Amino acid sequence: MLLEDFNAAGRPEAAAALRPCLDIGRWIEELVDSRPFGSTGRLLDAARRAAEPFTAAEVEAALAHHPRIGERAAGNSTEARLSQSEQATLGVPDPAVAAALAEGNRHYEERFGQVFLIRAAGRSREEILAALTTRLAHTPEEELAVIGQQLREIAVLRLEGLIRA
């Protein structure tokens, strides 16, 4: 979508364009209400500001839309296609790394009661596994802050790919 089309879109259409980036109502509303944006850079800056900080309830709601790392997102929605594209950059998994990620995901879910979330784009499976291992030692409060940062990075990256000048 072109930035000028996003700026001119009706409220429901603009919100629908943002939802695949990050399905947090407050974030979407803030960006829709801040239009028009003079540049994609200003839109991305506003997206970062609107995402700081997320509440625990917002994080929980957003995580409901994310597949486990290493697993393919189901469906053909824009959000599923974005997730599939992001995880596709991980390449063909080494069986040992894939098994370690699956095991790490299980431990993470047992420890924190939610899926492990990380911006996959630009990272290797080995880097993700290292981050997963490190994050298993976090307290729930520390992990909430890290998840918020990862959600911000994912949202801005997706927004950058969906809205162009």
Side-chain angles (χ1 to χ4, degrees):
M1 171 181 264
L2 293 174
L3 179 62
E4 66 187 56
D5 295 333
F6 174 72
N7 284 334
R11 189 172 180 75
E13 294 81 16
L18 294 172
R19 192 160 285 108
C21 299
L22 180 65
D23 196 2
I24 292 179
R26 178 187 56 80
W27 182 81
I28 292 169
E29 303 265 332
E30 192 167 326
L31 291 179
V32 169
D33 291 344
S34 297
R35 296 176 302 155
F37 293 99
S39 69
T40 53
R42 289 196 176 139
L43 170 60
L44 297 175
D45 288 342
R48 287 181 193 97
R49 282 191 308 276
E52 184 65 43
F54 290 125
T55 67
E58 289 171 332
V59 167
E60 183 178 337
L63 287 177
H65 299 279
H66 286 273
R68 287 180 182 93
I69 197 74
E71 292 183 5
R72 185 175 172 83
N76 195 29
S77 67
T78 301
E79 186 173 9
R81 287 192 311 273
L82 289 167
S83 178
Q84 291 162 5
S85 174
E86 292 157 4
Q87 290 209 37
T89 64
L90 297 175
V92 178
D94 171 281
V97 174
L101 277 172
E103 180 70 14
N105 277 330
R106 278 192 295 281
H107 287 309
Y108 185 94
E109 289 174 22
E110 288 170 7
R111 174 149 170 64
F112 296 108
Q114 60 200 22
V115 299
F116 171 71
L117 179 82
I118 190 167
R119 177 190 42 79
R123 292 188 166 114
S124 70
R125 289 180 190 274
E126 292 77 11
E127 289 171 312
I128 291 171
L129 180 57
L132 173 55
T133 302
T134 298
R135 287 172 54 185
L136 279 167
H138 287 172
T139 65
E141 295 77 21
E142 291 169 327
E143 189 56 17
L144 182 62
V146 173
I147 293 168
Q149 178 59 37
Q150 294 304 302
L151 282 171
R152 281 186 287 285
E153 289 179 21
I154 292 166
V156 170
L157 183 70
R158 288 179 175 183
L159 187 58
E160 209 169 9
L162 289 176
I163 310 263
R164 57 195 181 286

